Each structure stands twice: as C-alpha cells, then as structure tokens.
Amino acid sequence: MAQTNEKFNLEDLFETLSEELPEDTDLSELSERWQYYLKHPIDLNKTDGAELIELQFLDPMLLQHLLDYRTVSGNFINALELQAIDGFSERLVNLLLPFVKVGEQAPFKDMKFGSLEQEFTLRYARLIEKSKGYSILDTTKSRYLGDANRYALRYRAHFKDKFRLAINMEKDAGEPFFKDKQRLGFDYYGISLSIKAIGQLRNIVIGDYALQFGQGLSMWNGLSFGKGGLVQNTARQGPGVKQYTSLNEANFLRGITGTWHFRNLEISPYFSYRSIDGNVDHTTSPSTISTIAITGLHRTPTEQRYRHAARQMTYGLNVLWRHRRLKIGLHLNESVLDAVKIRGNSLRQQQDYKGQSLRNISLYTNYTVRNVHLFGEYANSLDGGSALLMGAIVSWHPRLSSVLLLRDYKAKFHTFYGQGFGESSNTANEQGGYLGLTYQLGRKLLWSNYIDLFRFPLAKYQADTASTGADFFSQLSYIWYKRGQLSLRYRHRLKQVNYMGEGATENGLVNTGKQQLRIEFQYSINRIWTIRSRFETNMFQKEYEENSLGYMLYQDIFWKPKAGKIQLNTRIAYFDAETYENRIYAYENDVLYASGFGMYNTKGWRTYLNIRYRLNNALDIWAKYGIYYYPGLKTIGSGLDMIEGNRKSEIKIQLRWQL
C-alpha cells in the first residue's frame, strides 16, 4: 500500500475527469478531499458508499457492484479483493487502492488518529514581470489598485472525523491589501464548521457550504466535471450536503444546512444569505443589476464597484427517499435578490432570467437493476422553463459497458446554481444525446469512446441563430500494473459559428472543426524516478478560411526518493499554436492544493520546477518557479495584463504546518 501511494499522481485523475478546464480553476476542493482520504483511508467494510462517491471517479454501477460483492461474499479480508469485482479494471483498482483500507491499518503510521489534527497553510505567489495595469498612475483610467502579490491562508482542524473546521483567506494579484476598500486586509474570507452527526442530524454545516443534488440541473455548487476519459462518470452521484473549502469566490452558499435521517428518508433544509458581485444601478427604483460577476477579482475601480454590490438570499429543501437500489429525490428552492435582474441587449441574452425572485423545483431518481443503472432529473424554473436529463449505464459484459444520456434544456430554464451536463455551462438552450462505450480488451488494454451530438435552438455565444455540433472521442490505453501507461487519444469537435464574409449562408453560420491527437507515455523507472512524455497536435478548420495547426511536446521528470526530505518534479515543453483556436491545455504540477491547467498558446517554451522540502514531521515547504518564453514576441498578453518583453515568469512559495 505504501508503494502504491508513492507512485500515485493526482494529476492523472484531473485530466481523466475533464478534458479542458480554465487556467484559473481552483481544484483544491477535490484535491483536499483526496489528500484527506489518503491520510484517512475509507474502510471498505464500513462504508455505505458516500465517501467513495466523494472520490468522483467511481461510477454508480461499479459502486453498486462493490456493495453487492460485500453483501454476498462477506467483509473484505484485503483491499486487493477489488480485482475480483466485475468491472473493476486494473487501472481503476490502481486509482482506488490508495484511498481505501480493510480494518484499522493505514499507510501513514505516524498519524495520530483519534486526536485533534490541525493544518495551517500559507502561500505566496506573484508574476515577476510587471504588467501594464500596475504602471498606470492616472486615476481616471482603469488600473490595478493593489500590488502583484498573491496571498492565501488556509486553516483546517479535524477531530476523529466528528467535526471539521475550515478557514480561508485570499488576496489575488492586483487587489488592494489593508488599504482603500480592503482595509480588512484579504479580499476573500471563508469559514465553515462541519459536524458529522448529532443524533439523527447528519452533515451539519454552519458557514460556507455546497449542495450537490441529483444530476445538477437545479442545484450543484462547487466543481463539476463534464466530458472526459471516464465515460461512465457522466452519470452524476450527488453527495448532498458538503462543506465548502475552495478558494473560488462564487457558486457556493453561506448560512446553515444539514440532513435529518429518518428511516429511509433524508431531509435537507438549507438557508443562505451572502453578498454577490455585479453591476448594480442604484439610481433606479428598485435598484437593477445588469450583470452578475463570478470571477472573484476586485483589482480595478470597476471591479471594486461590482464587489459585494448585491445580496442574495437562497433557501430550500431537499427530500431523498431510499429503498434498496432505488432513490427518489425532490428539491425545492428560491433565490431572492435585493435588486431586479435585467436582461442584456444581445440576441443571446434575450432569454436570460429577468426578475428578483427565482423559484426552482426538480425531481430526480436513480435505480439499479441487475447490470443496468437508470438515472434522470426533471427541473422547472417556475418563471416558465424546464430542463430534462435522463440516461442509463449498461454493463453488457464484465469487459464491456455503455452509457446513454439524453438532455433537453429549454431556453427559458433559469437557475442560479445549476450545472447540468452539456456542451455549454448554463444548463439552458441545449438539446443533445451522448453515447459512451468502454471495452476492456484485456488486463492491460482499455478502449474508451464517446460521441455527443448537440443542438442549440436559439442564439448563443458566437452563434446568433440556431446551431448544431458534435464531439467525438476515442482513447486506447495500455497499462502496466503500478509501472506505467501508454495512451493514444483522438478527439474531433464540430461547431457552427457566426460568419459575415464571402460564402456566408442564409443563417449567417459556418462550420468549424477541431481535430486533436495525443500520445502520452508515463513510466516509473524505479521507486524514485518517474518520467512522463506527451505529444499533442491539433488542426482547426473553418469554412472559407485556411486550416491552422498547433502542437505541443513536453517531458516531465519526477524524483521522489523513498527516504529523504526533498522531492521534485520538472517540465520542459515546446509548443506552436498558429491561432488562439489551436491553443492546448495541459495539467501542471504545482504546490499542494494549487494545481491547475496551463494554456499553451502562440509559439514558445514552457518550463517549471517544483520542490518540496520536509523539514520535519510537522513542517513542509513547497516552491515553484515557472516561465513562458516566446522568442518571436515583443509583448505578452493584452490590456492591463500586457507585459513588455518575451518572458512571463512566476514564483510560488508555500508553507504547511501540521499538528
């Protein structure tokens, strides 16, 4: 087990769960849970499946197979028994082993189980080169009001898994710090207390929390993953009430919630009242809000004016009924703003929400019968729109399974917190069908495929009329047990966008396509050295325009000695993307809890070095230095982020103290 943990890399999971995530996506919500279960493995003989759901990569069919295996065969004697369960491939077992145990043994023998565990993390980061926004002195112009330093403070306390306290503080680059409108210092403060159980009350959270119910059409706070290499994970498993620990400053609730258990019923009422960012006009009566901002950035005078400009009260109730393999849930909620939300003027905004109070109701269910898992959700915003998602996972053979998902999101369906599966992110104005297929060709070969066909009935971003599209994905992976993996991936995406040039059709749209090919090799040379190589190329096609190409090649090296205080990893990458459409995203290793996806655009080099130094059992230090080098450029970026020169470099330092 210890050897498995040493070879375990969280970045493999992030890229498997989702194909592309923005550079600024905060993945700490999930990585923190993974780190917690690495230290406190889930007992396979005691879990009801709820903790396994939090890992995100175990689909509902396989989770049911695991619970059925335990019921029929009795308690697990060894975690390696997972290999005997139908559908548990060698790759999945490798992913799962570090997070589970049988009995009281654990891979971290020096952990003081049963006592108060505390963790304090301090992070500092900044770009070394100076952006244009810091040089503007004219107070009548847009500019950055603060310095380029970024700070983050995190405090965590756990006691026998009975309660968890989380405190977050963060200042982004460019934001004022202990001055101007930030006289209290940090721009963002978050605190939450989670209590596991008081009698029949479970998962009580006071402070910041997240709700994840059903398939996410009506309510899903925090991270959500879309299409990726884990095909069956398109069927979501809403864990319900969760403590919110992310540094993302939007899409969470602040107040109080919990779940009351009574026989087969789980009743979760909740109340939230928090400030939100937006463009509010106080000269009207009542006040109006034209834009709700979710970036969490407050660097410029305009962003400061948007900061906490409106208030939102949200309350509701979720009722879940369980009976063996059947779950049926009902969710009701209402969100009330202290200003009237108005629509924008563009075509794609004509169906946006307008009003001050938004009510949602949804009904969701899932049912497993033999080798079929059925799931679905119907949601309705009581101002006139609806959304429907339904699907099935079918295990045709221990080596062959498929997933079918159909969705129909009306243009007038509105939700503040929904994140349904789809091509777009707003769970509205979309219809589609998704078919995925995975085939285990042997112990070491896994073939994953999906096709997603979708349609947007009305105007959307970059398409002023109805448009269609498709997404094809295929990946073949060869896996060495505990040693390495070789994968070949192909993806082809088709979309329609606006076009005003010669040859434009009557609806003003043209077809675009982006083909991507990736070859990746990862191998553990021994217990100390691991290498990872990737080559990725793409071609972007647009009618009546020339094709453009992009490619990237990188080499990663990991050095993790079994004994010793230092660990490090490094990357060197070369990339060439002719246009912005040819940009490539790739996961980058970072300091603990700060992982993310880098964007490789235009032409240049990228390299970084991560170092972890363990001073003692309680104190760790991480440091990262990364640099982009663009030989052919005189400036990098645009607007306030523009940098003179052809280099863009960043430094991060993080200290963690565990008690």
Side-chain angles (χ1 to χ4, degrees), residues 34-49:
W34 285 342
Q35 290 290 339
Y36 178 82
Y37 285 124
L38 285 173
K39 295 179 180 179
H40 307 83
I42 302 164
D43 193 330
L44 291 174
N45 291 329
K46 295 181 179 179
T47 181
D48 63 356

Side-chain angles (χ1 to χ4, degrees), residues 385-618:
S386 65
L388 174 66
L389 181 150
M390 56 185 180
I393 299 176
V394 182
S395 179
W396 303 98
H397 183 273
R399 294 187 176 183
L400 178 65
S401 62
S402 65
V403 56
L404 174 66
L405 186 150
L406 303 174
R407 60 192 185 273
D408 184 5
Y409 307 151
K410 302 301 183 184
K412 290 187 177 181
F413 176 70
H414 302 130
T415 172
F416 284 119
Y417 294 109
Q419 297 185 74
F421 174 88
E423 180 67 18
S424 61
S425 59
N426 59 357
T427 318
N429 185 34
E430 181 175 342
Q431 300 169 339
Y434 173 99
L435 177 63
L437 183 72
T438 58
Y439 182 51
Q440 188 78 39
L441 285 80
R443 285 181 57 84
K444 298 181 179 180
L445 274 175
L446 178 65
W447 190 23
S448 302
N449 307 268
Y450 71 72
I451 176 173
D452 187 32
L453 306 177
F454 46 87
R455 175 177 179 267
F456 305 102
L458 298 176
K460 62 177 289 289
Y461 176 65
Q462 292 187 332
D464 291 339
T465 59
S467 59
T468 60
D471 187 357
F472 305 89
F473 173 94
S474 183
Q475 177 173 288
L476 184 65
S477 300
Y478 181 81
I479 303 156
W480 292 272
Y481 181 65
K482 292 185 180 180
R483 295 302 298 270
Q485 176 176 319
L486 175 65
S487 62
L488 176 64
R489 174 183 296 187
Y490 173 77
R491 190 180 186 189
H492 190 189
R493 287 175 288 181
L494 302 169
K495 288 184 180 181
Q496 293 180 314
V497 299
N498 291 327
Y499 183 71
M500 302 302 294
E502 182 179 353
T505 59
E506 291 183 3
N507 63 3
L509 302 178
V510 294
N511 297 318
T512 68
K514 185 175 183 179
Q515 300 185 64
Q516 298 169 272
L517 180 66
R518 176 191 297 179
I519 302 173
E520 182 174 307
F521 174 73
Q522 180 171 321
Y523 190 73
S524 295
I525 300 173
N526 51 43
R527 296 184 179 184
I528 298 176
W529 295 95
T530 300
I531 60 173
R532 181 173 60 202
S533 307
R534 176 184 294 183
F535 173 74
E536 183 167 341
T537 184
N538 64 61
M539 178 172 66
F540 180 74
Q541 301 164 294
K542 186 175 183 179
E543 286 187 291
Y544 311 113
E545 294 184 7
E546 293 186 2
N547 298 341
S548 58
L549 301 174
Y551 68 89
M552 176 189 68
L553 174 67
Y554 73 61
Q555 178 64 55
D556 288 350
I557 299 175
F558 300 84
W559 183 64
K560 297 181 178 180
K562 186 175 181 180
K565 297 184 176 182
I566 298 179
Q567 296 180 354
L568 60 85
N569 66 79
T570 185
R571 168 178 296 178
I572 182 168
Y574 179 76
F575 54 94
D576 187 353
E578 293 183 9
T579 70
Y580 182 72
E581 299 293 346
N582 298 111
R583 67 194 183 278
I584 297 173
Y585 291 91
Y587 181 91
E588 293 194 353
N589 293 88
D590 212 314
V591 302
L592 184 66
Y593 306 137
S595 53
F597 286 72
M599 184 177 70
Y600 296 74
N601 190 30
T602 67
K603 183 178 181 179
W605 294 84
R606 168 66 169 168
T607 186
Y608 61 76
L609 174 66
N610 280 297
I611 299 176
R612 176 188 177 183
Y613 182 70
R614 189 172 188 181
L615 294 172
N616 52 49
N617 289 338

Side-chain angles (χ1 to χ4, degrees), residues 60 90 95 105 148 380 456 472 529 650:
E90 190 169 297
L95 288 175
Q105 70 272 16
N380 191 286
F456 305 102
F472 305 89
W529 295 95
E650 181 185 40

Side-chain angles (χ1 to χ4, degrees), residues 186-255:
F186 291 91
D187 174 71
Y188 171 69
Y189 291 90
I191 183 170
S192 59
L193 174 65
S194 174
I195 303 171
K196 187 173 184 178
I198 300 178
Q200 291 181 309
L201 289 176
R202 312 287 174 83
N203 298 331
I204 305 161
V205 183
I206 302 171
D208 296 346
Y209 62 90
L211 302 175
Q212 297 181 350
F213 295 124
Q215 297 300 311
L217 302 190
S218 178
M219 177 63 71
W220 194 280
N221 304 125
L223 277 177
S224 66
F225 296 100
K227 291 175 281 189
L230 292 179
V231 173
Q232 282 80 3
N233 283 62
T234 53
R236 293 184 181 171
Q237 304 173 82
V241 174
K242 295 176 58 178
Q243 185 178 26
Y244 186 78
T245 61
S246 173
L247 293 175
N248 283 330
E249 299 178 35
N251 196 22
F252 68 93
L253 299 172
R254 176 169 287 172

